[in-house]
Each structure stands twice: as structure tokens, then as C-alpha cells.
């Protein structure tokens, strides 16, 4: 009961915030012209499976830019076909978030990029091996030289270049963005109805700002406990504070139509499921089928223009490049 | 001894063939303008991991267009991280071959494309499931309609579209092509020396035509048995004739710098290894280190302009699309 009062109070305080501040068009990339060489190098590294121990998994394997920057799996396939621990969040528009990963353990994209490379359940390499591999490829040298002024490869340069590329992965010009900018015909009447319901329901407490999320950590299961078999405990793993148990970074809603399945455990298969469950466990609301359909219709207006990526051509191994063997035992 | 005489005789007969006929620039794609819609659809299917049982493996996983149309692994990673039986051949310029697969079991690209989808060690789906999945995705319908005049999905349409896309994957304008067309400065003096040695050694018996290979089946180990732990027996598996044991389609040499490791078993890690072993087991020749270096230098002139691929954006699942679970037990 106390919780519901608190939600009401927050709604009241939010009503003072103008719609313009609460909802903003998706931000433009923040790449300085002099960083264009980093972007180009980062794109190559993004698609390079040699950053993984197997030589088979690239960043794009789990954050597939053909499919909304995710793999559309409940949890990802890692080295040796291991089952990943958590749902892969989208890389699209990922920069402007409070932090990276579901539990916010990386402050920014640069810090995030080093994680999966060395995670034994993901790409299963090490920073040392990744640097050794990339450093051994002669064709990469001019790209590092152009991006960083030196062709000495370090993990910092690798992750900086990856982050520079990721920062370009924004999705402007969604129907919702056009609507926010004044084109009232950009949304259908049903989508406008869904949007109004989204706002008056309290969804905007967590899903606000340019990404409609990504700006705060919130407990999953505010009104009613969230049931899951997934063992992730959220932010407590970082802060070690008991109040952060089951507290996760609020996922962004941008391109949500493409980034199924939903939640940190990937248990919600459809947008209808996701909205229904969120209503129940976060807001204590049971939406009618019509209300669900309206909100979902609006959510589909959040799909922006996807990045136009020309597939990079990767330089071949050099004579000192370590051999890849996906089945090699340590 | 008899074999060496036979090689000499073949060389003699080949010397009558003009260089223009034996070596031709890489062929242009043979796509009719009215098939452009098939190409576009085929590109989407090429990158769509939903053709696999896991929803994780696409055609591009093993025939990666960032890395010469191969995965640069000895044998490929299949469903459940299975170790593939044979080295993944390149899709680049693959059309103009005598047949497809190392053992030629598919007559053309259309027939080939259906193989990996249903191979339990590769994508591990079935044609029925693949059709059901693609048919359930509303966003594919307009593409099928435009390509085939009907939006009824069949495996024939899927493989026809894949083949149409693959036919565009040619790599013109290599230094060797420019040399053949009259630009004598397109090759370095060392490359020209290597090319002359390649011709006079007898390599051209098998590696001739526009692809420098792909036009005949040949026994591996003509002069000396080829040692391998790989269990593939080659063309005998198709013809059931004992003389076809260890007979494989001669691989093309186009873009050979990018398509390591070499041979059907992927056991040759470098071009030097590959040329040295071929000399020994096929021609009974031991090249000097300098000769090896010359031939390898020439081979690097066979790398053409790689296809410029804009990554397709794939339509999301429909409400009837089966769920993907890479770890699901049957």
C-alpha cells in the first residue's frame, strides 16, 4: 500500500515536468570528426571474430545489427555453446545510459566493450590474447596508426575504437520522434491512445528521457514479486547492499519491437507479455486486452531508422597470429 | 613413374591452349535485372540466423563475407558447437564451378543452399521448419511477393533467393585480372616470376580457368599419398566408384590469401604450407624457399575487390514464429 502511495507521489511530481523534457527525440551520435578513424577501426573490430578465443564469435554475434542490436535469444550463446546468464541488451542508442550492463557494472561503452571479450561464458578470450591477436595482423596497423597516432595495440585502443563505433549506432527518425517534433500524423490514433495510457499509467516513472529508459536503476517487482528462475540478482552484485537485490537498469524502449525477448531473463516473449507483466509487478495494474494493444501499437512507433552498415572487410592473419581452434582444451 | 609421364603429357597438351583461355578475368555476376528482387531477399536470408534450428547460425557464420567468404577455421562450428566434417569453401565467385561442395554433391548454388540448413551438424534445421519460420514473419511477405510474384514461401524460393544473392558475390579487379587485361605493371617482378613457375610446374593442370580451379575433380595425392586424419573420402561418396576415393573438386585460387586454412581438411595453415604440400603430393616437386615465396607472392595478386555489402535489416518475428532455444533437447 505504501508503495502505491509512493508511485502516486512520484507521478504527481513528474506531472510538473514538461513532455518535452520527459520525451526527447533519440540523440544524435556524439562523434567528433577527428574520431572518424576510430569509428572505422571500431567497426572492423566489431565484426572480427578473432577477438574471441574460438575465432568464431564477434561482438555482432550477440548484438546483431541486422536484428535490432540483439540476438533475439533468451540468453546468448557463448564460447562452446554455453548458455549465457542474462539477456543481451541492445547496442543501439546504448551510449546515453546511466551505465552499461543490466547491473550497471561498466560506467561507459569503453569499459563495457572489454567485458564480453574476456568473459569465459561469452567470447572467452583474455585481454592479453586479444591484443596479441590484433597486434599480429599487419593489415590492422595502418588503421590503428590513423586512429591513435601509433600502431602499438593495447586493450584501451581496442575498446576505445569499439566504443567510438557503437556511439554511431543511433536510430533517429522513428514515427514517435517525428511526432515529438510536431508531426501529429506520425502516430495513428491508436498509437496516440497507447501513448497517453503509457503516460497516465506511471510507466514514465522509469521509462523517460530520450531512450525511454536507461536512466535509472529500479527494483523489478515493486508491487508484486517478479518470478524467475534466472539467478541474476542485479545491482546488489555491484553495491553489495541488500536493498539493491533485483534492482536492474531500466531497459530503453527504443526499437523495442526488434529487441525481443524481454527483461533481464528474456522470459517475456512478446511485447504484449512484457507490458502485461510490467503492469502487474511494477504498477499493480491489470490492462484490458484493448489497453495492451494500444500501448503495444505505440511502442512500435519507437522503431527508428536502423544504422546503415557496410560490412567491413577484415585483414587476414599475419604469420604470427595464433591459430584458432574452437574445440581446443586448455 | 607412369604418373609423371602422364603429367608431362598433359602439360604438353595444355601448352597448346592459349594463356587467354587458360586464365581469364574473374567473371561478372550473371544476374538478370528482373532478378534484383531475388538478390535483395537472398541477402536478407543469407544473414538471417532463423534459418538455423538455434536461431544463432546464419549462412554468414561459416561463409563470412568480412573474411573472404569463409570462417578461417579448419572445419566449421555447427549447431551445439559441433565440429564440422570438412573445411568451409568460399562463397566468393562460387557459381562458375563444375558443382558445389568438395565432393560436388550439389549441381549448383540453388541445390547447395538447401544443404547446410538441414544438415544436423551445421544449421540443424529442416526444410519444413525453415519454411515455417520464414513464412511466419510478416515482414518477409512483400519481399517474396516482389521476387516471386507470390508470398507463399517454399524451400525452392528460399534457396533460389540465396543462390541469386550468392551469384552477385564476385571479386573483380584483382591485380592478376588487371595483368591479364594488359596492365603489366599490375604484378611485381616477383609475382610474375611466381606466375611463370606456377604455369611451368604443372599447377595449371588443375588450377585453370577464370577461378583457377573449380572446374574438375582430382585425386588428392597423385604422386604421393596425402596424409590426413580427416575421414572425408571425397567423390566416392557420390559415385560409389573406388577410383573416386580421395578425389575432390579442385578448390579455386581466387582470394586464396583470405581463405586459409587450406585443403578439404583445413590442415595447411599458410599459403607456403599449401603450395609446398601440393608440390610434393601432386607434382612430386620440392620447391626451394625462394620458389615458394615467388608462387605465394603471385597468389596474393588473386585477391579481388570484395563485395560491398550493406548489412540487411531483418523483419522481426511474427506472432506465430516458433521460439528459438539453442539448448532445447529434441
Amino acid at each position: 500500500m505504501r508503495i502505491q502511495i509512493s508511485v502516486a507521489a512520484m507521478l504527481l511530481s513528474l506531472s510538473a515536468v514538461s513532455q518535452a523534457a520527459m520525451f526527447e527525440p533519440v540523440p544524435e551520435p556524439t562523434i567528433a570528426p577527428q574520431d572518424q578513424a576510430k569509428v572505422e577501426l571500431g567497426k572492423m573490430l566489431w565484426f572480427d571474430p578473432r577477438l574471441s578465443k574460438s575465432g568464431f564469435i564477434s561482438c555482432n554475434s550477440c548484438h546483431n545489427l541486422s536484428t535490432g542490436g540483439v540476438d533475439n535469444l533468451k540468453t546468448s550463446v557463448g564460447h562452446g555453446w554455453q548458455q549465457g546468464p542474462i539477456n543481451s541488451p541492445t547496442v543501439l542508442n546504448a551510449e546515453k545510459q546511466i551505465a552499461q550492463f543490466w547491473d550497471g557494472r561498466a560506467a561507459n561503452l569503453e569499459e563495457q566493450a572489454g567485458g564480453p571479450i574476456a568473459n569465459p561464458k561469452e567470447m572467452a578470450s583474455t585481454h592479453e590474447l586479444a591484443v596479441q591477436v590484433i597486434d599480429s595482423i599487419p593489415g590492422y596497423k595502418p588503421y590503428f596508426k590513423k586512429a591513435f597516432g601509433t600502431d602499438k595495440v593495447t586493450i584501451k585502443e581496442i575498446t576505445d575504437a569499439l566504443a567510438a563505433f557503437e556511439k554511431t549506432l543511433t536510430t533517429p527518425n522513428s514515427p514517435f520522434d517525428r511526432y515529438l517534433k510536431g508531426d501529429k500524423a506520425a502516430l495513428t490514433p491508436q498509437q496516440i491512445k497507447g501513448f497517453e495510457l503509457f503516460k497516465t499509467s506511471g510507466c514514465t516513472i522509469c521509462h523517460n528521457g530520450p531512450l525511454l529508459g536507461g536512466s535509472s536503476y529500479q527494483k523489478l517487482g515493486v508491487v508484486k514479486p517478479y518470478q524467475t528462475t534466472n539467478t541474476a540478482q542485479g545491482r546488489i552484485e555491484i553495491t553489495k547492499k541488500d536493498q539493491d537485490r533485483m534492482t536492474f537498469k531500466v531497459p530503453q524502449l527504443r526499437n523495442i519491437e526488434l529487441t525481443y525477448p524481454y527483461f533481464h531473463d528474456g522470459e517475456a516473449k512478446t511485447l504484449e507479455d512484457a507490458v502485461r507483466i510490467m503492469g502487474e509487478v511494477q504498477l499493480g495494474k491489470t490492462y484490458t486486452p484493448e489497453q495492451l494493444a494500444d500501448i503495444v501499437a505505440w511502442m512500435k512507433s519507437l522503431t527508428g531508422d536502423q544504422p546503415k552498415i557496410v560490412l567491413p572487410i577484415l585483414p587476414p592473419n599475419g604469420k604470427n597470429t595464433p591459430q584458432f581452434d574452437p574445440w581446443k582444451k586448455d
Side-chain angles (χ1 to χ4, degrees), chain A:
Chain A
M1 196 49 79
R2 203 162 51 85
I3 287 157
Q4 282 174 319
I5 290 164
S6 145
V7 167
M10 284 178 79
L11 268 177
L12 206 65
S13 78
L14 279 171
S15 71
V17 182
S18 77
Q19 175 169 308
M22 189 182 289
F23 304 105
E24 295 168 40
V26 80
E28 291 296 310
T30 51
I31 297 291
Q34 67 268 28
D35 286 345
Q36 197 47 50
K38 282 191 204 177
V39 172
E40 196 182 351
L41 171 62
K43 185 173 81 164
M44 296 168 81
L45 295 168
W46 176 266
F47 284 97
D48 201 326
R50 292 171 293 190
L51 284 179
S52 69
K53 184 184 180 186
S54 61
F56 182 68
I57 298 177
S58 71
C59 301
N60 201 63
S61 299
C62 302
H63 301 284
N64 191 334
L65 296 173
S66 286
T67 52
V70 302
D71 53 15
N72 293 139
L73 298 173
K74 200 153 46 160
T75 62
S76 295
V77 174
H79 183 80
W81 211 258
Q82 284 177 92
Q83 188 161 6
I86 208 159
N87 182 258
S88 166
T90 183
V91 69
L92 299 177
N93 312 301
E95 183 193 6
K96 307 275 187 200
Q97 296 178 103
I98 189 171
Q100 302 294 324
F101 293 115
W102 280 95
D103 57 13
R105 67 182 181 275
N108 51 40
L109 289 175
E110 285 80 356
E111 201 178 317
Q112 190 279 333
I117 293 173
N119 187 326
K121 292 200 159 191
E122 300 184 24
M123 297 168 89
S125 187
T126 62
H127 288 175
E128 293 69 28
L129 178 58
V131 167
Q132 185 194 345
V133 166
I134 300 301
D135 194 45
S136 73
I137 299 168
Y140 264 127
K141 293 292 181 186
Y143 292 93
F144 275 87
K145 183 83 181 167
K146 199 168 167 200
F148 296 105
T150 164
D151 64 9
K152 182 84 196 75
V153 178
T154 66
I155 190 67
K156 184 172 184 317
E157 286 165 351
I158 290 174
T159 54
D160 276 8
L162 283 168
F165 171 62
E166 290 174 30
K167 286 173 193 172
T168 68
L169 303 175
T170 60
T171 62
N173 199 34
S174 69
F176 182 63
D177 287 327
R178 297 201 300 273
Y179 178 82
L180 287 181
K181 288 175 177 172
D183 175 6
K184 294 306 166 195
L187 298 190
T188 65
Q190 186 191 19
Q191 288 177 321
I192 292 171
K193 223 172 108 196
F195 177 41
E196 293 302 322
L197 182 57
F198 178 84
K199 287 189 287 183
T200 55
S201 291
C203 308
T204 52
I205 296 168
C206 303
H207 293 285
N208 56 51
L211 301 187
L212 296 144
S215 58
S216 65
Y217 302 104
Q218 299 290 343
K219 185 176 171 64
L220 179 58
V222 175
V223 175
K224 196 173 127 181
Y226 179 75
Q227 304 292 342
T228 181
T229 55
N230 189 294
T231 57
Q233 291 295 306
R235 190 107 184 104
I236 186 177
E237 285 158 22
I238 313 306
T239 64
K240 310 296 176 194
K241 292 183 188 164
D242 197 62
Q243 75 238 42
D244 287 333
R245 190 178 304 279
M246 289 304 277
T247 292
F248 296 94
K249 188 180 68 184
V250 175
Q252 60 167 309
L253 298 183
R254 291 283 171 186
N255 308 295
I256 194 76
E257 180 187 9
L258 306 177
T259 62
Y260 57 89
Y262 305 107
F263 306 157
H264 74 284
D265 57 5
E267 284 290 347
K269 289 171 185 151
T270 66
L271 268 178
E272 284 77 5
D273 287 346
V275 176
R276 182 179 49 76
I277 295 168
M278 281 287 105
E280 284 172 13
V281 305
Q282 299 301 96
L283 299 167
K285 279 185 198 300
T286 305
Y287 291 116
T288 67
E290 190 191 325
Q291 288 175 319
L292 278 181
D294 293 346
I295 295 178
V296 167
W298 168 68
M299 285 180 156
K300 292 184 178 175
S301 80
L302 300 176
T303 306
D305 293 344
Q306 301 296 295
K308 189 175 166 180
I309 306 290
V310 176
L311 207 64
I313 303 303
L314 302 179
N317 285 353
K319 62 183 192 310
N320 297 321
T321 305
Q323 291 295 314
F324 290 95
D325 176 354
W327 303 278
K328 190 178 165 192
K329 304 283 174 213
D330 289 319

